[in-house]
């Protein structure tokens, strides 16, 4: 085989990395040191948008696509016949710095296939970020993947150098993991996650002066649609990850059939993208709207409604709680009104201290009246149609069908981090 | 009522507000450009920009309304929207009656529009922080060309001063013939009329080629969604993004 150029290696290692969905660079704020390069802005910055409509914020790349494991859903699995390449820690560091100076990226998201042993691989990753931080004096954002099964000492060392770490849960349950990723045990994934969570808590007690430890927290990713778990099952797992492990984000990745492995369903991926989108909305409701998994879903209806967003679905099942009077309702209650998002709820609370709100003013505060009007009153007034039957109301709330249905409809549904802000005003 | 005129700078505008207040006047219109022909028959009062008076006005806004209001007014001012001066003047007048509570009246016509303008300007600045592209010049400096919808150079300069503190950089707003430049110590806003991109360093082409390759590879083909990409990246930004240039014809 002919040797590859640097460009070609980068292309291959990017194509292997792109299925990892997390790309956010937000949540850390690290200031530059004198003579250094880079800082981490607290609110995520997108540098471009790729042809799949996702925000490009980080240089997302693998150190190598060599792998000793054989995960069914992964392009790099040992049994797959693909060209194997590797970059050196120096090459990745150079690439990062040069992209960063040109303002192409906000930082690095480094992952890798497993070479030789988990420890050896983890050491290569650490060496790369160490070079960036110490030799290149790089203070920008770094998100590092932890290798399942790596030594706790290495996990800790990595966490001192980077902004965020993640270790992917991959499949929602132990059984699915055993079937599709037989080389990774659930423990090899959960132990480092728990260790990092403990170290973050410990760091919090040490006070401001102590050296940082993953200041942007940890995240994880779950592949959906490659295994049979229901949405309810997935949401309860996310709920626990947020509550017990203090995770910053759980990412959902609709399974893209990249391999012909017989352990996997052959799929038409369109309905999966919609499902992924609904899961992100439900996840958002867990984190910012005070909902629990069991409010959004029930044991006898364990999957999210493809037709309606989960908040509107919940409101339709609880019509006895509406309408809500915007001049009186508590913030937490306002948040549950379809068409009122975090921002508009805050604005309502702020402005009603100085004036009584009427219907006309709500739209100006960012309330989506098209939906909210059926669920609220303002100064006792509704905008008509009070006693609609639930079926009729549901029909009114369904998004208008586009003439050409199909994948295009999904363009309304951004799935990555920095774009989700678009949803806050809308749910 | 008269037409009031200032020099187009924020300091000039603040000086004008101070003058209006001290004379107890209500302006019919506030302009910065040369008055039109038919305005010759109306009274035009010109106020010269005064650093000192401007500062005092700003301090008064900070204490009588709030420090946040100063930022808000400045940011909305940078929108250069037609009639923005009168809008800001109304906000100020209203703020004098409400004091610190002013910004809670988001549904009030004197307050809401100012917030919306300031938000748009803030959004443009935030967006620019991502899509500015520096190119390394032959002289080892870093040059970026932009044409933002609003006058946001001063809003983004602190970000790049912190982020790229070890680089000599210059961001050129071609639309307004302005630039902010950083010399590793401080940044300043200057007039800048240069045409065309300066000669680039030997490496520049190689790095932008690698970047374009990376950009093409990062998109998941099974999820192609050009409309969504288009939505995020309107045409006015595209011409500055190397990754979106059409590949050269063979
Ligand atoms: S360990 Fe990672 S890179 Fe290797 S096959 Fe599994 S998912 Fe792919």
């Amino acid at each position: 085989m002919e040797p590859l150029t640097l460009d070609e290696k980068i292309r291959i290692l990017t194509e292997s990395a792109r299925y990892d969905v997390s790309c956010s660079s937000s949540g850390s704020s690290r200031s530059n040191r004198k003579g250094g390069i880079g800082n981490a802005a607290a609110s995520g910055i997108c540098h471009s948008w790729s042809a799949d409509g996702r925000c490009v914020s980080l240089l997302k790349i693998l150190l190598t696509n060599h792998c000793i494991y054989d995960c069914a859903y992964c392009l790099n699995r040992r049994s797959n016949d693909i060209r194997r390449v590797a970059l050196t820690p120096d090459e990745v560091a150079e690439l990062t710095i040069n992209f960063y100076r040109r303002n192409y990226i906000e930082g690095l998201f480094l992952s890798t296939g497993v070479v030789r042993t988990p420890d050896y691989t983890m050491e290569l990753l650490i060496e790369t970020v160490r070079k960036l931080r110490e030799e290149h004096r790089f203070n920008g954002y770094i998100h590092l993947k932890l290798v399942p099964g790596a030594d706790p000492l290495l996990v800790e060392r990595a966490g001192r150098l980077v902004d965020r770490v993640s270790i992917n849960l991959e499949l929602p349950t132990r059984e699915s993991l055993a079937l599709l990723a037989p080389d990774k045990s659930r423990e090899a994934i959960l132990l480092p996650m728990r260790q990092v969570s403990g170290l973050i808590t410990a760091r919090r007690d040490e006070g401001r002066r102590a050296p940082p430890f993953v200041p942007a927290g940890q995240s994880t990713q779950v592949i959906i649609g490659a295994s049979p778990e229901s949405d309810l099952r997935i949401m309860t797992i996310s709920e626990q990850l947020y509550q017990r492990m203090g995770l910053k984000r759980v990412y959902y990745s609709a399974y893209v059939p990249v391999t012909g492995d017989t352990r996997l369903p052959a799929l038409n991926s369109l309905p999966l993208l919609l499902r992924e989108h609904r899961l992100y909305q439900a996840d958002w409701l867990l984190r910012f709207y005070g909902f629990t998994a069991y409010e959004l879903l029930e044991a006898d209806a364990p999957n999210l409604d493809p037709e309606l967003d989960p908040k509107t679905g919940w409101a339709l099942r609880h019509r006895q709680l509406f309408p809500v009077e915007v001049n009186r309702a508590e913030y937490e209650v306002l948040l549950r009104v379809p068409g009122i998002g975090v921002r508009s709820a805050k604005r309502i609370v702020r402005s009603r201290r100085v004036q009584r709100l009427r219907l006309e003013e709500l739209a100006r505060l960012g309330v989506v009246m098209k939906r909210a009007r059926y669920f609220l009153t303002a100064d006792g007034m509704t905008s008509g149609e009070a006693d609609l039957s639930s079926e009729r109301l549901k029909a009114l709330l369904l998004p208008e069908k586009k003439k050409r249905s199909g994948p295009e409809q999904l363009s309304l549904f951004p799935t990555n981090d920095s774009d989700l802000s678009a949803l806050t005003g809308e749910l | 009522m008269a037409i009031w005129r200032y020099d187009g700078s924020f300091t000039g505008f603040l000086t004008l507000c101070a003058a209006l207040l001290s004379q107890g006047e209500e302006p019919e219109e506030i302009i910065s450009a040369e008055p039109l022909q038919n305005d010759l028959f109306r009274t035009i009062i010109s106020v010269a920009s005064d650093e000192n008076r401007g500062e005092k006005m700003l301090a008064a806004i900070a204490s009588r309304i709030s420090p946040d209001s100063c930022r808000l007014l400045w940011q909305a001012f940078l929108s250069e929207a037609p009639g923005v001066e009168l809008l800001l003047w109304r906000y100020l007048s209203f703020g004098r009656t409400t004091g610190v509570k002013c910004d809670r009246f988001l549904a009030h016509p004197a307050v809401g529009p100012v917030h919306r303008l300031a938000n748009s300007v803030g959004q443009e600045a935030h967006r620019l922080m991502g899509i500015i592209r520096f190119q390394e010049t032959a002289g080892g400096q870093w040059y970026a060309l932009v044409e933002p919808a609003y006058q946001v150079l001063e809003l983004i300069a602190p970000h790049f001063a912190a982020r790229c503190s070890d680089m000599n950089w210059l961001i050129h707003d071609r639309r307004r013939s302005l630039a902010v430049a950083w010399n590793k110590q401080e940044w300043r806003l200057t007039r800048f009329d240069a045409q065309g991109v300066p000669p680039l360093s030997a490496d520049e082409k190689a790095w932008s080629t690698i970047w374009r390759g990376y950009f093409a590879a990062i998109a998941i083909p099974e999820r192609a969604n050009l409309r969504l990409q288009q939505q995020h990246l309107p045409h006015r930004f595209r011409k500055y993004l190397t990754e979106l240039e059409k590949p050269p014809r063979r």
Side-chain angles (χ1 to χ4, degrees):
Chain A
M1 267 188 285
E2 275 181 47
L4 294 170
T5 63
L6 184 61
D7 291 30
E8 287 165 327
K9 283 201 222 169
I10 291 169
R11 186 178 52 75
I12 292 173
L13 292 171
T14 303
E15 285 174 355
S16 288
R18 67 187 171 201
Y19 296 96
D20 220 301
V21 284
S22 79
C23 83
S24 125
S25 66
S26 56
S28 197
S29 81
R30 176 189 290 275
S31 42
N32 200 351
R33 296 168 293 181
K34 202 163 164 43
I37 168 84
N39 58 359
S43 61
I45 293 177
C46 283
H47 288 259
S48 196
W49 280 266
S50 49
D52 50 15
R54 295 191 302 170
C55 154
V56 178
S57 170
L58 304 174
L59 165 60
K60 182 157 56 175
I61 199 162
L62 301 186
L63 199 51
T64 174
N65 65 351
H66 286 279
C67 193
I68 55 173
Y69 291 159
D70 203 38
C71 308
Y73 47 82
C74 178
L75 213 51
N76 309 323
R77 70 189 196 286
R78 162 183 86 218
S79 58
N80 202 17
D81 183 19
I82 52 164
R83 180 95 194 233
R84 307 284 168 171
V85 294
L87 293 171
T88 64
D90 273 312
E91 282 172 326
V92 172
E94 277 287 317
L95 184 63
T96 308
I97 285 288
N98 274 287
F99 275 16
Y100 193 86
R101 286 197 186 282
R102 287 169 176 76
N103 206 40
Y104 295 160
I105 53 164
E106 209 42 35
L108 172 67
F109 176 9
L110 187 61
S111 179
T112 184
V114 185
V115 270
R116 291 193 218 170
T117 64
D119 283 352
Y120 177 79
T121 313
M122 198 67 231
E123 275 171 14
L124 280 178
L125 291 177
I126 292 175
E127 180 56 8
T128 310
V129 295
R130 190 200 60 77
K131 274 182 189 293
L132 268 170
R133 289 286 194 236
E134 288 170 15
E135 291 170 22
H136 294 274
R137 304 177 62 81
F138 175 71
N139 296 307
Y141 188 91
I142 301 180
H143 176 163
L144 193 67
K145 214 36 135 4
L146 298 177
V147 183
D151 192 286
L153 281 174
L154 294 176
V155 170
E156 180 167 358
R157 181 141 35 107
R160 301 244 170 254
L161 288 165
V162 304
D163 294 270
R164 168 168 289 186
V165 293
S166 63
I167 187 157
N168 286 354
L169 203 58
E170 309 289 20
L171 280 314
T173 58
R174 193 178 295 273
E175 301 78 60
S176 299
L177 195 68
L179 180 67
L180 298 178
D183 311 298
K184 289 182 190 164
S185 73
R186 182 85 158 174
E187 280 62 41
I189 295 169
L190 289 181
L191 280 177
M193 201 185 262
R194 203 165 284 137
Q195 181 199 355
V196 168
S197 155
L199 287 169
I200 291 175
T201 318
R203 168 66 190 75
R204 214 171 287 142
D205 301 332
E206 285 169 15
R208 290 167 134 251
R209 295 275 167 88
F213 183 82
V214 290
Q218 63 171 331
S219 62
T220 193
Q221 171 173 299
V222 188
I223 300 168
I224 57 158
S227 53
E229 292 82 4
S230 70
D231 291 344
L232 177 60
R233 188 82 194 263
I234 294 170
M235 286 330 289
T236 49
I237 291 168
S238 299
E239 197 166 48
Q240 288 178 22
L241 289 172
Y242 289 130
Q243 286 171 2
R244 297 223 199 116
M245 298 268 200
L247 255 66
K248 275 278 157 44
R249 283 300 302 269
V250 176
Y251 290 93
Y252 309 91
S253 172
Y255 165 66
V256 179
V258 285
T259 74
D261 196 292
T262 48
R263 289 169 285 182
L264 289 163
L267 285 164
N268 160 12
S269 61
L270 178 65
L272 255 191
L273 283 184
L274 181 55
R275 182 175 175 209
E276 177 195 280
H277 172 64
R278 290 284 179 245
L279 284 168
Y280 273 114
Q281 290 183 313
D283 181 272
W284 203 258
L285 293 175
L286 289 187
R287 287 184 300 138
F288 300 113
Y289 287 72
F291 283 91
T292 62
Y294 271 94
E295 281 181 300
L296 298 171
L297 291 157
E298 285 151 25
D300 48 359
N303 289 306
L304 294 162
D305 186 342
E307 292 191 301
L308 279 179
D309 72 82
K311 185 166 150 187
T312 305
W314 175 84
L316 282 174
R317 292 194 303 275
H318 295 85
R319 293 207 46 207
Q320 75 283 3
L321 301 174
F322 297 99
V324 157
E325 168 56 47
V326 291
N327 285 293
R328 267 198 316 272
E330 303 208 6
Y331 173 73
E332 291 74 21
V333 174
L334 288 173
L335 276 183
R336 295 193 165 217
V337 178
I340 297 185
V342 171
R343 268 186 275 182
S344 43
K346 284 193 176 139
R347 288 199 195 113
I348 288 175
V349 172
R350 197 142 68 110
S351 19
R352 75 186 181 188
R353 285 196 218 130
V354 290
Q355 70 184 122
R356 257 194 109 62
L357 295 172
R358 289 161 305 163
L359 285 170
E360 308 83 278
E361 279 137 4
L362 293 178
R364 268 186 256 151
L365 296 177
V367 176
V368 184
M369 287 304 281
K370 216 167 61 178
R371 249 169 307 156
R373 54 192 289 200
Y374 306 106
F375 299 98
L376 55 74
T377 61
D379 216 5
M381 305 294 282
T382 64
S383 54
E385 301 162 294
D387 299 321
L388 288 168
S389 72
S390 287
E391 288 73 48
R392 176 93 187 88
L393 184 50
K394 179 168 178 179
L396 286 169
L397 290 167
L398 285 180
E400 283 161 43
K401 283 265 177 323
K402 290 255 167 55
K403 286 222 179 60
R404 281 197 299 144
S405 60
E408 276 197 299
Q409 250 176 309
L410 281 165
S411 61
L412 299 170
F413 306 143
T415 54
N416 51 38
D417 205 27
S418 6
D419 299 339
L420 274 168
S421 58
L423 292 172
T424 53
E426 305 227 3
L427 277 174
Chain B
M1 289 210 288
I3 295 176
W4 289 65
R5 179 157 175 245
Y6 73 112
D7 65 359
S9 72
F10 190 55
T11 305
F13 173 68
L14 290 170
T15 317
L16 186 147
C17 291
L20 284 170
L21 282 175
S22 70
Q23 295 170 36
E25 291 280 343
E26 251 327 288
E28 182 190 334
E29 216 184 313
I30 303 176
I31 58 169
S32 60
E34 285 291 324
L36 300 169
Q37 278 293 310
N38 59 359
D39 281 339
L40 288 175
F41 302 103
R42 294 196 286 178
T43 325
I44 293 171
I45 304 170
S46 286
V47 179
S49 192
D50 179 338
E51 197 83 30
N52 204 348
R53 265 187 113 180
E55 295 267 316
K56 277 200 189 130
M57 185 67 211
L58 211 54
I61 297 170
S63 71
R64 302 264 320 246
I65 307 177
S66 76
D68 287 351
S69 292
C70 298
R71 171 84 189 184
L72 180 82
L73 289 170
W74 182 47
Q75 210 163 298
F77 180 83
L78 293 177
S79 71
E80 300 172 332
V84 64
E85 297 92 344
L86 214 52
L87 209 59
L88 300 187
W89 167 251
R90 291 207 192 103
Y91 172 95
L92 273 180
S93 312
F94 181 71
R96 278 160 47 84
T97 66
T98 61
V100 68
K101 280 188 295 199
C102 182
D103 290 315
R104 287 189 192 159
F105 288 85
L106 282 175
H108 192 281
V111 180
V114 176
H115 277 262
R116 277 197 290 281
L117 270 184
N119 273 345
S120 307
V121 173
Q123 267 167 27
E124 181 79 354
H126 189 262
R127 182 124 74 153
L128 228 57
M129 287 177 195
I131 63 170
I132 272 181
R133 296 286 178 263
F134 284 115
Q135 293 179 289
E136 190 179 30
T137 68
Q141 289 169 322
W142 299 85
Y143 173 81
L145 181 61
V146 289
E147 288 183 304
Y150 310 115
Q151 213 277 71
V152 293
L153 289 184
E154 289 164 285
L155 292 177
I156 61 175
H159 169 78
F160 286 105
R163 176 187 161 107
C164 308
S165 63
D166 69 340
M167 291 157 51
N168 282 309
W169 52 254
L170 182 138
I171 302 169
H172 178 191
D173 178 347
R174 184 161 62 185
R175 197 159 147 187
R176 296 174 184 79
S177 295
L178 287 174
V180 277
W182 166 258
N183 61 6
K184 301 191 190 175
Q185 303 285 331
E186 53 174 10
W187 59 265
R188 70 172 62 216
L189 186 72
T190 53
R191 291 224 70 76
F192 193 81
D193 287 313
Q195 295 294 320
V197 175
L200 299 176
S201 77
D203 287 349
E204 190 51 39
K205 186 133 182 259
W207 285 113
S208 71
T209 308
I210 292 181
W211 165 241
R212 290 167 60 152
Y214 171 80
F215 182 78
I218 197 69
I220 300 180
E222 294 87 346
R223 299 183 126 192
N225 193 338
L226 291 175
R227 227 180 54 168
L228 184 55
Q229 182 192 34
Q230 172 82 45
Q231 216 168 295
H232 288 297
L233 273 178
H235 274 293
R236 65 190 181 93
F237 293 129
R238 295 194 165 217
K239 54 182 158 177
Y240 303 110
L241 299 177
T242 37
E243 66 269 25
L244 290 169
E245 277 165 20
K246 294 232 164 57
R249 294 232 176 108
R250 296 273 157 101

